[in-house]
Amino acid sequence: MSRLLVFDTETGGLDAARHSLLSMGLVALVEGKVTGELELLVRHEPYVVTGGGLKVNRIDLAAHHERALPPPEAAAALEAFCAEHLGSGPLTLVGHNIAFDRAFLGTFLASVGRELEPRFSHRTVDTYALAFGLQQAGRLPVRLRLSSDGLFAHFGIQVPEPLRHTALGDARATAALYLKLVEIAR
């Protein structure tokens, strides 16, 4: 049975070892069907962010802080979501440039005394890599930009403007993208 966690993050910068993980978007896919969605906001004291990171994500730290969960509670909510919608055992993460998001998840979990593996498999599915392979095989246009924006536009995946560059909005769109890429591969 195929159990995948489509995962996206919004962060305070590009360095998983230094910058704060601000939010996680979770979309559970079981046998190609969405079985659950959740966005988790993470509170930090202090936040370690860059101006550029906050500008891209359009995050107001004061408003974020009011709604965010302390790290141990966010980690517990992540596990509860995974258990409810995807069951036990190692889960495969899916994302666009998933190595970035996985690195932040690993650092976050370590900060609360948890380990990335074995709950999350070392195997991942990267929608960029899938699209690149399909492009190389002639199944996607040669000139198609393989950024998330380029692929979402190509497949007509609409992300409402207030949700673009939010963890949940991008995870939802990436789940739709993953399913489109799998369909092309058939």
Side-chain angles (χ1 to χ4, degrees):
M1 174 157 79
S2 170
R3 299 174 309 124
L4 303 169
L5 179 62
V6 183
F7 184 74
D8 188 72
T9 62
E10 298 305 329
T11 67
L14 300 176
D15 186 346
R18 287 190 19 221
H19 297 119
S20 300
L21 170 63
L22 300 174
S23 63
M24 297 179 273
L26 316 171
V27 176
L29 279 182
V30 178
E31 298 300 319
K33 303 284 187 226
V34 173
T35 62
E37 301 178 335
L38 179 66
E39 184 167 51
L40 293 171
L41 305 182
V42 183
R43 180 182 299 156
H44 296 277
E45 294 186 33
Y47 289 93
V48 180
V49 299
T50 65
L54 294 179
K55 183 177 180 185
V56 167
N57 301 332
R58 298 178 305 214
I59 292 176
D60 173 331
L61 278 182
H64 173 92
H65 193 79
E66 290 298 316
R67 296 179 36 229
L69 298 173
E73 290 179 33
L78 168 65
E79 178 52 40
F81 174 88
C82 291
E84 178 182 352
H85 296 285
L86 297 164
S88 62
L91 297 175
T92 300
L93 296 173
V94 177
H96 199 75
N97 298 315
I98 190 63
F100 175 87
D101 302 293
R102 188 177 189 278
F104 272 91
L105 178 60
T107 300
F108 168 71
L109 290 174
S111 78
V112 294
R114 297 182 182 209
E115 295 185 16
L116 186 62
E117 293 180 35
R119 183 55 167 138
F120 300 98
S121 174
H122 63 280
R123 293 177 178 91
T124 60
V125 178
D126 189 327
T127 54
Y128 170 83
L130 289 174
F132 182 82
L134 289 167
Q135 192 177 56
Q136 294 297 301
R139 305 292 296 273
L140 287 175
V142 173
R143 297 200 187 280
L144 176 62
R145 287 183 40 247
L146 301 181
S147 66
S148 56
D149 284 335
L151 289 164
F152 296 162
H154 176 77
F155 287 107
I157 298 168
Q158 301 292 319
V159 183
E161 185 53 36
L163 294 178
R164 186 64 174 118
H165 296 299
T166 67
L168 183 56
D170 289 354
R172 285 176 177 157
T174 301
L177 173 61
Y178 169 76
L179 295 172
K180 297 272 189 187
L181 294 171
V182 168
E183 187 61 35
I184 288 175
R186 288 191 174 139

